[in-house]
Amino acid sequence: MKRPSDRIDIALSILVASLTTAFLLRVVGQAIQRWAPQSFLPQFETWQGSGLPYPLLLACQVVILVALALAIFGMARGRRVLGRKAGRAVVAVGGLYFVLMAARLSLGLTIWSDAHWFTAWISTALHLVLASIVMLWGWHQSRPQKPDLMG
């Protein structure tokens, strides 16, 4: 029998769901600008931070959203798929990802303001959100699991 979720599992899943919603809004915003441009949103090109063709980027984003939905539901139920050590490694990778994207943003605002990749702030903000999700999920996975009190 599964163990009951605790408040931290629920809180973390809500936080990750909130960040995932921000990611979803970014994906939807870019799609709107691609197929039905709106004057109140940034132009399509400003959403793009990589050289990936948009159809491939959108497909990758949909896969990420599905994976995030599965992770959120698993977190809310207290499900751990990694051990503590692997969870800590995920936190470290997420932290490195976050630092690199923060550096990208800082460099784009200062010395490399003429290079598109460094000034794609919408894309960089998305990556900061994703890095935060990775760190939170890793932290969830590295937390000790309470024993099943029902079994």
Side-chain angles (χ1 to χ4, degrees), residues 62-122:
V62 169
V63 168
I64 291 168
L65 284 166
V66 170
L68 291 174
L70 293 171
I72 291 164
F73 289 119
M75 290 171 73
R77 290 191 307 261
R79 184 165 184 235
R80 308 286 195 278
V81 294
L82 300 178
R84 292 186 75 178
K85 197 173 191 179
R88 288 184 189 131
V90 169
V91 172
V93 169
L96 178 61
Y97 179 21
F98 191 94
V99 167
L100 290 173
M101 290 301 107
R104 172 185 174 182
L105 183 60
S106 297
L107 291 169
L109 292 172
T110 57
I111 61 175
W112 286 326
S113 60
D114 57 339
H116 173 71
W117 189 78
F118 286 97
T119 58
W121 68 268
I122 294 174

Side-chain angles (χ1 to χ4, degrees), residues 28-147:
V28 170
Q30 187 175 15
I32 288 170
Q33 288 305 82
R34 171 69 182 238
W35 292 300
Q38 301 296 312
S39 61
F40 64 91
L41 291 172
Q43 293 181 352
F44 175 79
E45 295 78 26
T46 61
W47 299 81
Q48 192 78 7
S50 71
L52 283 178
Y54 181 67
L56 178 58
L57 175 64
L58 182 60
C60 291
Q61 291 170 333
V62 169
V63 168
I64 291 168
L65 284 166
V66 170
L68 291 174
L70 293 171
I72 291 164
F73 289 119
M75 290 171 73
R77 290 191 307 261
R79 184 165 184 235
R80 308 286 195 278
V81 294
L82 300 178
R84 292 186 75 178
K85 197 173 191 179
R88 288 184 189 131
V90 169
V91 172
V93 169
L96 178 61
Y97 179 21
F98 191 94
V99 167
L100 290 173
M101 290 301 107
R104 172 185 174 182
L105 183 60
S106 297
L107 291 169
L109 292 172
T110 57
I111 61 175
W112 286 326
S113 60
D114 57 339
H116 173 71
W117 189 78
F118 286 97
T119 58
W121 68 268
I122 294 174
S123 175
T124 305
L126 154 84
H127 286 289
L128 290 169
V129 166
L130 289 175
S132 298
I133 290 170
V134 169
M135 288 186 292
L136 288 167
W137 185 75
W139 183 56
H140 177 267
Q141 295 298 301
S142 68
R143 291 182 59 240
Q145 188 161 344
K146 291 183 178 180

